[in-house]
Amino acid sequence: MRDGQQFTAWNASRIADDRALWLPATRGHTGLGSTRVAQPVQRGDWRVTINRTQGLVLAFFFVVYTSLLVILALSADVREVTARRIPGGGGLAIAGFLVALLGFLSVLTIAVLQRWHWAFWLILVAFAAGALRAPVAAMQLSGRMAPEGPQWYVVMQGVIGVVQVAIAVAMFAGYRRAGPWGSFRDPA
């Protein structure tokens, strides 16, 4: 590729075979085993290419956090259950919990974008543990356990558990195919 030729995200994904992590643009070869793609230098160029596995995990983080914000804002029953679980239990404690959760998810988001291996395994194990949510939700709905909030919230917890397990299976399939943070299927 000549210096003046445009280097696009499509070309990078074709060249790097779903393993290109776009960092600040560099010139020339960046070393063996590097995840950087050699490209022309362009000031302020911060492009990140994510594969299907990373996109799935990031979308899950976004949907769950925004859902939590909406539920806590609109449902007094769920807010009360959440307040009982947090020491201090007032509105300030809930706000502190939301800020701490946002900070944690921000660190995990950076870890996903940087394809950190420890984060892959942490998220995989946490999502696989979501398999416990569905049976717990079923027992709460059947009356064998005391429900933690309204019935719709218990159902939602069970659905979240099923989605977490599905994402864990996709992550493991990607791992078997291409290593940690590998895409779980070929790009279309």
Side-chain angles (χ1 to χ4, degrees):
M1 186 176 301
R2 293 188 314 267
D3 251 357
Q5 198 172 12
Q6 179 66 29
F7 196 85
T8 64
W10 183 82
N11 288 338
S13 66
R14 302 291 294 164
I15 292 168
D17 187 37
D18 195 36
R19 292 182 182 204
L21 179 62
W22 293 63
L23 296 171
T26 59
R27 226 181 241 286
H29 185 66
T30 58
L32 291 176
S34 174
T35 56
R36 286 188 177 178
V37 176
Q39 62 184 0
V41 174
Q42 296 174 358
R43 232 174 235 276
D45 188 14
W46 287 86
R47 291 180 280 183
V48 176
T49 302
I50 60 174
N51 63 29
R52 294 172 194 270
T53 302
Q54 291 171 294
L56 201 58
V57 170
L58 294 174
F60 180 82
F61 289 166
F62 176 76
V63 168
V64 168
Y65 189 76
T66 54
S67 298
L68 178 64
L69 290 175
V70 169
I71 289 169
L72 288 177
L74 299 179
S75 176
D77 295 336
V78 175
R79 196 170 40 250
E80 179 183 317
V81 168
T82 305
R84 278 186 289 174
R85 291 182 178 173
I86 299 173
L92 191 58
I94 291 176
F97 165 74
L98 290 173
V99 168
L101 181 61
L102 181 61
F104 178 66
L105 289 177
S106 297
V107 169
L108 286 180
T109 298
I110 292 168
V112 169
L113 293 175
Q114 293 292 323
R115 298 180 184 190
W116 292 343
H117 290 237
W118 65 267
F120 174 83
W121 295 110
L122 176 74
I123 293 168
L124 179 69
V125 168
F127 280 10
L132 300 175
R133 286 182 185 241
V136 168
M139 291 190 330
Q140 288 178 348
L141 291 173
S142 68
R144 294 184 181 164
M145 284 180 69
E148 291 281 328
Q151 197 170 18
W152 64 267
Y153 184 70
V154 172
V155 170
M156 185 175 153
Q157 291 294 316
V159 170
I160 287 173
V162 171
V163 170
Q164 281 181 310
V165 170
I167 293 173
V169 167
M171 288 175 71
F172 189 72
Y175 167 73
R176 295 283 297 157
R177 185 176 171 275
W181 296 116
S183 184
F184 55 90
R185 64 175 239 206
D186 288 328

